Amino acid sequence: MITETPLDPRAIIVVEDSDEDYETILWIFKKLAVTHPVIRCEDGEELLHYLSQQSKRTERDEILQPGLIMLDLNLPGIDGRQILQRIKANERFKVVPVVVLTTTSNPKDIKTCYQNGANSYILKPVDLEKFVRTMQRLLDYWFEVSLLPDIRIA
Amino acid sequence: MSHAEVNEEFYNSNQLIDLTNCEREPIHIPGSIQSYGLLLVLKMPELTIIQVSSNTLALLGLPPEQLLNQPLELLLEETDIHYLRHCLQNFKLERNPLQIFTIKIKGSAQNFYGIVHLIEGVVVLELELVKLIQTTTTPGLYSQVKATLSQLRVTLTVREFCQSIAEEVQRLTGFDRVMIYRFDEEYNGEVIAEARAAEKVDELTTYLGLHYPASDIPRQARVLYLLNWIRLIANVSYTPVSVIPTLNPVTAQILDMSSTALRSVSPVHIQYLKNMGVKASMSISLLKEDRLWGLIACHHYSSALYVPYETRTACELFGQVLSLQLSTKEDSENYDYRVKLQAVQSKLVQFMSVDEHYLDGLVKHQPNLLDFIEAQGVAICFNKEYLLLGQTPTKLEVRDLVAWLEANKAADRPADVYYTNALSKEYEVAANFKDVASGLLAISISQTFTQYILWFRPEVIQAVDWGGNPNKPVQLAEDGPQLLPRTSFELWKELVQQKSLPWHDYEIKAAHEFREAILGVMLMRQTGDLIRLNQELEQSNIELDAFSYIASHDLKEPLRGIHNYSKMLIEDYAQQLDDEGKEKLHTLARLTQRMEGLLDSLLYFSQVGRLDFSVTEADLNEVVHQALDMLHARIEQEGVEIQIPQPLPAIRCDRVRLSEVYSNLISNAIKYNNKAEKSVEIGYLKPKTSGKPLVFYVKDNGIGIMPEYYETIFMIFKRLHKRDRFGGGTGAGLTITKKIVERHGGKIWVESVYGEGSIFYFTLEESGTYEVSL
């Protein structure tokens, strides 16, 4: 992946309670030479706090803005499904793509997530090579293929 | 057969001589009458005299020969005959005597009471002399009776009621002694009321409270008491008057005198009365619900005593009133107890429906089973468990007793409720525990299982005052053994042993009702059990869902971690690791993936068992081709020849799952195959007999299965081969296949020749045929 700026202002927010899974994701990002800042939220509480902090900032302050949210469904505290609803209910952040990254392949979960506005639903495989490939495609798709909205525009 | 011959046969029989011999005496055809009246037997319809009692000369002045085969007009006035015909036409006189009128006999100055009934197609006309009246049939008999009856209404107990009736009958008839007998279950009698003529009170010792053995009134005599409610023996020393001719010309039989008031008395009974010093007697039947409850027995000691028909009718009326009152009076006497039984029963039923184990409801609360039917001990037998309450035999004794009850169940006695107040008579072993269980009332709760409730009553050594020794009713006459009723009527005390207080009708009825109630509760509880089982099933389904979640997420998370870290190790530390180290890490990663595969299979297997199937009509050809399409690459690669010898039928199934069955079986057929030219045949067999299901099969020319593994292959994660031979796999394929087949209601099995190939057969229903036309 080639980027012109050393640091992409669009951050990837990873909502992930498992340290091992987060470390694996970071490892993959490193392998893929991801230049986006990565912000980790260990649970929904933290994500919602982060987002509310973000919305208080003025335009000038903003160096970072959320570009993509990777959301685990099974989190301590507020459930991932609820967090998804909260994000999509927020006027400012609902335009940020949310990729559900989870282990449950329950058809009901998949459907509910899409109904609640998930932009993608991806299974964490027990296969690192596969996971790397998945991540590569995912980031390519959202950051290279797609054009993302600028949340600073009112 | 003459009367004499009949008795001859009876007395000369080699039976053990005992009063029970009376049971065999044909007392309804004595062939003679008592001497206080006349008997005419008339042929229908012309009313010709065909039989006559031999005392006509004395009473009418005409010898019997002059009456036989003569029209009735010879004796009766035309108006009387006319009236007789009227009665015969308009009243039901079959075995039902009716006093029709006072008859004037031609050429005689005397008036007679005429009593008529029909039997075996002939008319029996009994005539009693009106002038014979000795007692003062006081005028206004009707008002006397009426007054007595209204007075009786205020009496409270059965005994009081009986006492009043006894006194009234005594007063009306003038008998020296009037007693009221009450029979027990075995028809032993007890004198419960007695009235003695005022002038005889000192002379006659009271019989009140005395018992008389059942043999005093033999069975066939009791039958006659049921038929004729009143019986007069006006003079114990009468000479029987024979009926001429002996055989009735119409019936060619000895006249059946069952309904004849004048019927001659059994010589045994006459002897019995004589032994008691009785010169005249009268008895009136007391009935309760068609059973002989007792008798009003009248004895006269000073002389013969004729009681006129009208007075007898009044006495009979008293008997009927008493009979009618018996059920209500007797029942109301036990009213309180019965109310209690009801109340306790409803409480027990209530406890039973609430308690976890319904039988606990019978013992663990107040009131409990001991407060129900009066008993000193209760045992509950529930299959092999025994619960004892109060004073009972030991557990082992109860067990044997229940076994005895079970063994007797098949016999003629009703299986649901059994009772006795002399258990040791029927079950000798019970003598060992007579002090706690001489009386037993048992209900069987289940037809199939040994479930009983038993109530025990202890032995009550009862002192019974017999009117004479009931065990020695026979006297030996000097000229050899002869049946003579006992002569001693002096008080004879007997101790009754190994007997409890009797179980009353309403207690037995309560036991019956209680049994019904328990069955009701059991039924209700069983329904409740089903509901609970359903809830438990639902709960376990929820738990399975939780399991699926755990399997798919919680178990996989660390697994993924192990996998990822070993992979990261291989990459990040490639320099530091030698080849062996890298290989081991690769193995580690591979194992985690296998584990994931197992978890997925397990999860899927649990889903197949639970998730709803969508059964529709499906073309099996399409289903199979769907499976083949999925396996297309493999089939191409291995060059497998797929044969479908005949088009497959349309059937009802869940097409997605069934396609999975085929893809599992076909992929196994390819996988476990070492032949150069692999072939798979897919087909079905029609049943030879209708009503059997179609059998589908998948046949291969693969490695085959040894018979000892025919079952094993269907077990989850069971593998017959080394893991990586034949392409590996989790070992859940056939288990899931079997589950899908079974969920369709079918069966799956295998036939194989080891080394040559296997055929997997399956059905998709239990019976009938799945074939439907599309």
Side-chain angles (χ1 to χ4, degrees), chain A residues 10 30 39 42 49 63-64 75 84 94 101 132 139 154:
Chain A
R10 294 166 302 176
K30 191 175 141 201
I39 294 158
E42 285 190 37
H49 179 75
I63 306 156
L64 296 176
L75 293 166
L84 179 63
K94 70 177 177 191
L101 197 59
V132 172
L139 297 172

Side-chain angles (χ1 to χ4, degrees), chain B residues 318-355:
Chain B
F318 283 143
Q320 287 181 27
V321 171
L322 181 51
S323 293
L324 281 173
Q325 288 290 311
L326 281 175
S327 11
T328 42
K329 284 275 179 197
E330 251 194 344
D331 291 350
S332 70
E333 275 178 30
N334 301 301
Y335 182 73
D336 290 346
Y337 179 39
R338 285 183 305 122
V339 165
K340 187 191 133 190
L341 283 179
Q342 284 277 331
V344 173
Q345 180 184 313
S346 63
K347 278 271 181 203
L348 291 176
V349 168
Q350 197 186 323
F351 293 145
M352 271 194 294
S353 18
V354 180
D355 271 18

Side-chain angles (χ1 to χ4, degrees), chain B residues 41-51 121-123 249-250:
Chain B
V41 181
L42 311 171
K43 188 179 169 189
M44 291 279 271
E46 61 272 26
L47 302 182
T48 314
I49 301 166
I50 52 171
Q51 275 181 300
V122 295
V123 180
V250 173

